[in-house]
Amino acid sequence: MDICSKLSGIERLNGAFLLHGEDADVKIYFLSDEVIRLRASFSKEFPEESYVLMKTAWEDRLDPLFEGERKRVEPFVPEVNETESSIEFSTGKLVLTINKTPFTIVLKDSEDRVLFTTEKLVPFTLDSNRRITSYFRMKEEDCFYGFGEKVGGINKNKTFLRERATDAMGYDAEKMDTLYKHIPFFIRLDRENQQAVGVFFHNFYESVFNMGCEKSNYWPRYAYWQADGGDIDMFLLGGGSIKRVVDLYTELTGRPTLLPKRAMGYQGSSMYYPELEKDSDDAVLEFIDTVREEGFPIDGFHLSSGYTSYENKRCVFTWNKERFKDPEAYFHAMNEKGAQNVPNIKPGILRMHPYYEDFEKADVFVKDSKDTSKTAIGMWWGGEGAFWDYTKPEARELWKSYVKKYLIEVGTNSIWNDNCEYDSLMDKDDVVDFDGKGGTIGQLKPIMSTLMCKLSNDAVREHDPSARPYSVCRSGSAGIQRYAQTWCGDNFTSWSTLKYNVPIITGMGLSGQPNEGADIGGFAGPAPEEELFVRWVQQGIFQARFSIHSASNDNTVTEPWMFHNSKDLIRDAILLRYRFTPYLYSLEKEATLTGAPVMRALVYEYQQDANVYDDSFEFLFGRDILVANVLEKGAKTRKVYLPAGNCWYDWNDNFRRYEGGQYIEIPVDMSSIPMFLREGAIIPKAENLLMCMEKDKVTDLLLTVVPGEDREFTLYDDDGVSMNYEDGGYLETKISMSGNSVVNLSFKREGDYEDSIKRVKVEIVKKERSPFWVTLSGRPLKHYLNRRKFDEAGEGWYYSQTKRSVEVKYENPSEDYELKVSFEDFDLIGM
């Protein structure tokens, strides 16, 4: 075993510091004053060849592949103070101390609080099986979040987690590991000082995290990460707040993509329709018509792989003409109905595939480890198959050409990248091209799905540079957020899955992926019972991806109207999601700037409230809406924790006010979707009926605000389908709220996109009193004491005694404006 236990001298390199050791060298880079990279190499070589880093301060041989995506910056230059026993690097925000003998690492913030340390441990080892291990200190009650797509509760203290993407169909959402993603990143939150640090291991060999599951009397409390190969390449993200850590991580690995609007709408799907013996196209078109006839909105259809059935086997880039008689006409008809197809493609090629010999001649497959002149073979859907090597330039180009020819040119800008875990290649030494250098599938397996999504997007843009791609993917490595919307795979239909899919999704949000969802109603197993399906839809409307998708084992099809007695409840819930379109799309834009999740673990916003550290089943929809879905069968009440620091207002109970920092219990029935507004909330919703996010415009805006804190919200809009927003084709309306006795709402616009909003209604929650006066850009608005007359008027204001809130309505001004509402004392008798 090699143990990195002693360091000697320090060598200053161009933009880095090289520390020499007996068994390993350690290279330190400062990407910024908050991001530090430590690389420990037992081979004492430091090649730069990353498929996931999108912010660098060094040259990388894969830079040409990511031209226009990767940002190169100058390295940060810290102050360095070296003594005989240690080296101290100071950035102004962080202090990194390297003790030489024994070698240890200590990271502190500017207030001398320890964020990460290996004191009294051996930081890095290489064992006889060539496994590398990074040990680090932990406290008994530390909180650990992230790790990608993981089952169980949100806090992973005292868990053993494996980073290995598998095809985990029908998984137990509470207890099983692993699932479909491979993201070796976590956030440590110290319960005592309430400070957070991010740790990202830039290594994609299969690995494990042991977060306190073992003890040794010879060492202080520790955790570790261990990988099957490669180097220890660790990034420390010292943001202090979880928000800042997620921001730094997504800046490092790539900002989330701005999805087209249809990606956030209801995506119909079922394996049933594409598996019909014939006329699947007519069946899907009839399904879309039925959706509309039943009064449900829809924006797309995830087309399962049955359309590629060839001799009853899945063969990507083929069309079964018995099922889909004229693919181009079918795609055109679906586009006209506002439900673009998202066709399923897979990277595995069966040996009986009609193009197999052509692909093998083109040399696009992963190679056999024992004879690299031969193709590596693994199990695939329907038999043995080969697997596309996306790390080979020529293979990437051929893949894109087929995606364009057989799908995009047929009539879609949406691709569903599926079954891309490469789980059935058992020989991890099988060879991949690694962009000319050569590598193994064990080294790069999770990268394949991320590159697959990049190619889908590139193919769309090459075909039509103005088109905004929509990729959805089941698998992914760190960095998947910059290309695709993801979902947590083939979940099992059960109450437990409904419940534990919540922390799986919020955990992905803390792992840099804001655009995660789940198959609503469950994919594997029997059809959901009626109550379970209602509750699943009521929860699913807050997910970034909303798709009802199933392959039930009882010959049923999960569809919105499957339970007649609950059809109205299902419809109401989905229409509520569509009413949230302006809020949801604005959250999507925010995610592209900071990585902020759509569904947020409470700890993301309330890091100073220790009561939320282990809360797995409540979440925030954006910043301002706390959601406590009913997740238990037969529930009559729901216990809710309202975080400390501000008041909360029950959206379903006439804005009843509660102090934060307490548990409450509210009654629920089948229609209940418990939601609470945060003090300082600014929530835009559509007042007019939207049936298609892509095609329908918000013409009537309802803005619900809760004064008490000065806040800003940026309402974002663009055409939702093109890349024009990159050239100014967007509209940002910055809504600023300030004041208490006089509430001032300021609306300032930026961008060239035409505002679709014609009428505005502002609902201001103010429990204490009615307004004294209301002005719109200095012009007084009329006060109505009669509800009917207010409803009939074009503008004015009315105070609802039932809700104890004021409603103000007016035509949307074409210029920037201010709305002022006075709640000042008015002595009517004294006057």
Side-chain angles (χ1 to χ4, degrees):
M1 173 180 279
D2 292 336
I3 300 174
C4 188
S5 58
K6 296 180 181 179
L7 296 178
S8 53
I10 179 174
E11 183 180 348
R12 294 174 183 253
L13 303 176
N14 183 25
F17 302 87
L18 184 62
L19 283 63
H20 297 287
E22 291 181 349
D23 291 330
D25 283 352
V26 177
K27 197 172 184 180
I28 303 176
Y29 314 70
F30 289 82
L31 193 54
S32 72
D33 57 356
E34 294 177 285
V35 179
I36 303 172
R37 182 187 191 189
L38 292 98
R39 296 189 68 182
S41 173
F42 290 91
S43 68
K44 302 191 177 183
E45 297 177 354
F46 298 91
E48 297 291 357
E49 44 197 12
S50 176
Y51 286 105
V52 304
L53 298 179
M54 290 298 115
K55 180 181 179 181
T56 63
W58 47 84
E59 185 177 353
D60 187 301
R61 73 177 182 89
L62 298 179
D63 282 343
L65 177 59
F66 299 102
E67 185 177 358
E69 295 181 58
R70 180 171 284 167
K71 179 182 178 182
R72 179 80 173 269
V73 299
E74 290 297 316
F76 183 85
V77 181
E79 293 183 11
V80 183
N81 181 25
E82 183 176 8
T83 67
E84 187 175 337
S85 61
S86 67
I87 309 168
E88 183 179 278
F89 303 90
S90 178
T91 71
K93 293 184 177 179
L94 301 173
V95 178
L96 176 70
T97 302
I98 304 295
N99 295 302
K100 298 177 183 178
T101 306
F103 167 46
T104 60
I105 302 164
V106 181
L107 181 69
K108 297 182 178 181
D109 65 13
S110 59
E111 297 183 29
D112 205 39
R113 294 173 295 199
V114 175
L115 301 176
F116 178 92
T117 179
T118 68
E119 286 184 300
K120 299 182 180 180
L121 297 174
V122 176
F124 307 135
T125 67
L126 173 70
D127 70 17
S128 57
N129 293 316
R130 312 310 294 171
R131 294 179 302 184
I132 54 170
T133 306
S134 171
Y135 293 95
F136 42 90
R137 292 282 295 273
M138 64 171 283
K139 296 179 181 178
E140 196 67 39
E141 298 303 322
D142 275 349
C143 301
F144 299 106
Y145 306 109
F147 305 96
E149 194 174 73
K150 293 297 175 185
V151 302
I154 191 73
N155 180 6
K156 305 304 183 186
N157 183 294
K158 298 181 182 65
T159 61
F160 187 88
L161 306 163
R162 192 176 182 191
E163 294 292 340
R164 175 178 182 259
T166 58
D167 186 343
M169 180 172 173
Y171 59 88
D172 183 325
E174 181 182 3
K175 298 177 181 178
M176 279 183 58
D177 191 41
T178 60
L179 296 186
Y180 300 85
K181 315 296 190 296
H182 183 131
I183 302 175
F185 165 73
F186 71 90
I187 300 170
R188 171 186 177 258
L189 175 62
D190 188 320
R191 264 185 209 270
E192 296 175 9
N193 64 32
Q194 297 187 314
Q195 295 301 296
V197 64
V199 183
F200 171 49
F201 289 98
H202 179 230
N203 177 311
F204 294 99
Y205 282 90
E206 290 184 8
S207 60
V208 299
F209 284 98
N210 187 328
M211 307 312 291
C213 283
E214 67 181 46
K215 280 187 175 183
S216 171
N217 194 43
Y218 298 98
W219 306 98
R221 203 72 175 93
Y222 64 88
Y224 66 79
W225 168 83
Q226 184 178 79
D228 288 349
D231 287 338
I232 294 170
D233 189 359
M234 177 172 61
F235 286 81
L236 298 177
L237 314 178
S241 75
I242 290 175
K243 277 187 180 182
R244 182 60 178 155
V245 170
V246 172
D247 186 6
L248 292 170
Y249 172 75
T250 55
E251 184 180 37
L252 177 66
T253 60
R255 294 299 193 192
T257 184
L258 181 61
L259 297 167
K261 287 182 180 178
R262 65 180 179 275
M264 280 152 278
Y266 165 42
Q267 294 286 325
S269 189
S270 171
M271 291 194 69
Y272 169 79
Y273 294 107
E275 296 296 332
L276 296 173
E277 288 187 12
K278 60 181 301 186
D279 298 331
S280 295
D281 47 5
D282 295 335
V284 175
L285 289 166
E286 183 181 358
F287 167 79
I288 301 299
D289 289 341
T290 305
V291 170
R292 301 292 192 202
E293 291 163 4
E294 293 287 345
F296 291 89
I298 195 166
D299 269 86
F301 189 83
H302 279 42
L303 183 62
S304 295
S305 56
Y307 78 95
T308 67
S309 180
Y310 175 84
E311 296 181 1
N312 207 30
K313 306 286 187 182
R314 302 295 199 282
C315 292
V316 67
F317 303 133
T318 67
W319 278 93
N320 184 312
K321 295 299 182 70
E322 289 292 313
R323 298 177 179 180
F324 295 87
K325 300 176 284 297
D326 184 342
E328 188 170 349
Y330 163 69
F331 271 26
H332 176 76
M334 290 288 284
N335 290 338
E336 287 293 304
K337 293 176 183 293
Q340 185 171 113
N341 281 278
V342 189
N344 181 292
I345 59 175
K346 308 178 190 296
I349 309 296
L350 289 167
R351 282 180 152 177
M352 50 72 62
H353 193 294
Y355 308 147
Y356 183 86
E357 290 186 7
D358 294 339
F359 293 154
E360 194 160 47
K361 285 180 184 177
D363 198 21
V364 298
F365 295 137
V366 176
K367 296 297 184 182
D368 186 271
S369 66
K370 297 178 177 60
D371 184 350
T372 56
S373 67
K374 295 181 179 179
T375 296
I377 299 298
M379 291 305 299
W380 188 236
W381 281 39
E384 293 184 334
F387 295 83
W388 214 275
D389 181 4
Y390 298 116
T391 71
K392 185 170 186 177
E394 296 83 0
R396 290 196 292 264
E397 291 303 311
L398 188 64
W399 182 265
K400 284 192 295 182
S401 72
Y402 273 80
V403 171
K404 284 185 276 191
K405 179 178 179 180
Y406 289 97
L407 296 171
I408 295 170
E409 292 173 7
V410 175
T412 188
N413 293 320
S414 308
I415 301 294
W416 174 6
N417 302 278
D418 200 11
N419 299 89
C420 41
E421 295 81 20
Y422 286 63
D423 190 20
S424 62
L425 278 176
M426 293 303 295
D427 187 349
K428 299 302 185 292
D429 294 326
D430 285 339
V431 176
V432 298
D433 186 73
F434 198 7
D435 276 82
K437 182 178 179 179
T440 67
I441 192 65
Q443 178 184 5
L444 295 166
K445 183 165 75 84
I447 296 296
M448 292 298 180
S449 52
T450 300
L451 288 177
M452 186 183 182
C453 293
K454 171 179 166 57
L455 297 179
S456 295
N457 292 356
D458 288 350
V460 169
R461 295 294 305 279
E462 288 173 12
H463 176 256
D464 181 359
S466 69
R468 193 184 313 179
Y470 171 34
S471 285
V472 62
C473 190
R474 189 174 73 177
S475 189
S477 67
I480 187 62
Q481 72 275 357
R482 71 179 182 269
Y483 300 124
Q485 180 188 78
T486 57
W487 88 105
C488 51
D490 298 339
N491 55 359
F492 186 77
T493 302
S494 71
W495 282 94
S496 177
T497 303
L498 164 63
K499 184 175 182 178
Y500 281 93
N501 273 172
V502 173
I504 288 174
I505 293 169
T506 56
M508 276 291 281
L510 295 174
S511 305
Q513 171 56 306
N515 291 309
E516 173 95 337
D519 282 345
I520 306 304
F523 178 83
E529 59 185 272
E530 186 168 1
E531 183 186 1
L532 174 59
F533 187 51
V534 170
R535 296 307 190 198
W536 218 320
V537 172
Q538 290 171 341
Q539 198 289 306
I541 63 172
F542 301 104
Q543 299 176 14
R545 171 189 179 266
F546 180 74
S547 180
I548 298 171
H549 182 43
S550 65
S552 302
N553 61 12
D554 56 3
N555 300 323
T556 61
V557 183
T558 305
E559 294 179 324
W561 50 82
M562 63 187 295
F563 295 107
H564 178 75
N565 291 335
S566 298
K567 182 172 62 175
D568 292 344
L569 294 175
I570 300 294
R571 185 190 302 108
D572 289 346
I574 299 176
L575 287 174
L576 176 61
R577 177 183 179 86
Y578 273 69
R579 289 195 66 195
F580 274 125
T581 295
Y583 184 63
L584 178 57
Y585 197 51
S586 298
L587 296 180
E588 283 289 327
K589 179 60 178 179
E590 181 187 1
T592 70
L593 303 175
T594 66
V598 173
M599 271 178 60
R600 303 179 184 181
L602 297 187
V603 70
Y604 179 88
E605 291 284 349
Y606 288 93
Q607 187 170 324
Q608 303 308 311
D609 184 352
N611 288 321
V612 307
Y613 290 177
D614 299 292
D615 196 315
S616 299
F617 308 114
E618 295 177 26
F619 60 90
L620 289 155
F621 182 43
R623 193 194 76 92
D624 289 334
I625 305 174
L626 185 148
V627 183
N629 288 113
V630 181
L631 304 174
E632 303 291 344
K633 182 177 181 178
K636 302 300 181 184
T637 63
R638 175 62 153 101
K639 189 176 182 179
V640 182
Y641 179 71
L642 301 173
N646 52 256
C647 293
W648 295 90
Y649 297 80
D650 188 340
W651 206 331
N652 299 312
D653 189 13
N654 295 316
F655 300 120
R656 181 178 179 181
R657 181 170 58 196
Y658 295 93
E659 293 294 325
Q662 66 168 318
Y663 288 92
I664 63 171
E665 192 161 356
I666 59 173
V668 296
D669 57 28
M670 280 287 282
S671 68
S672 298
I673 307 176
M675 293 181 288
F676 297 82
L677 286 180
R678 179 180 186 167
E679 192 170 31
I682 302 174
I683 309 294
K685 291 171 67 179
E687 278 264 84
N688 59 303
L689 183 65
L690 302 181
M691 301 302 288
C692 180
M693 287 194 189
E694 180 173 288
K695 291 181 177 294
D696 294 344
K697 303 293 185 184
V698 177
T699 58
D700 295 73
L701 183 74
L702 171 62
L703 190 69
T704 302
V705 302
V706 184
E709 295 182 12
D710 292 354
R711 289 290 180 185
E712 287 186 351
F713 180 86
T714 300
L715 177 61
Y716 179 82
D717 199 15
D718 59 32
D719 63 22
V721 295
S722 79
M723 304 301 294
N724 292 343
Y725 69 93
E726 293 184 334
D727 299 315
Y730 65 88
L731 179 64
E732 287 185 351
T733 304
K734 181 177 288 188
I735 305 170
S736 302
M737 178 171 61
S738 61
N740 193 19
S741 61
V742 177
V743 176
N744 183 61
L745 288 168
S746 168
F747 298 77
K748 295 185 178 180
R749 298 181 176 95
E750 177 186 298
D752 299 331
Y753 185 67
E754 183 178 353
D755 195 347
S756 65
I757 298 169
K758 306 301 181 186
R759 291 162 293 276
V760 178
K761 179 186 286 186
V762 180
E763 183 176 44
I764 304 175
V765 180
K766 195 71 170 176
K767 310 300 282 189
E768 296 87 353
R769 56 168 61 89
S770 171
F772 183 20
W773 49 259
V774 177
T775 64
L776 181 65
S777 293
R779 180 172 60 85
L781 295 183
K782 183 176 179 179
H783 179 198
Y784 288 89
L785 294 172
N786 180 275
R787 179 83 216 194
R788 176 183 56 80
K789 291 182 178 181
F790 171 73
D791 290 341
E792 293 171 352
E795 69 173 24
W797 64 273
Y798 172 82
Y799 188 74
S800 169
Q801 295 287 356
T802 303
K803 293 184 176 182
R804 302 292 290 177
S805 65
V806 61
E807 297 176 24
V808 185
K809 65 178 181 178
Y810 49 88
E811 298 290 319
N812 189 23
S814 59
E815 66 283 339
D816 294 346
Y817 67 96
E818 286 188 340
L819 180 69
K820 287 191 176 184
V821 182
S822 169
F823 295 95
E824 296 167 295
D825 289 333
F826 174 54
D827 186 357
L828 186 64
I829 297 176
M831 174 184 170

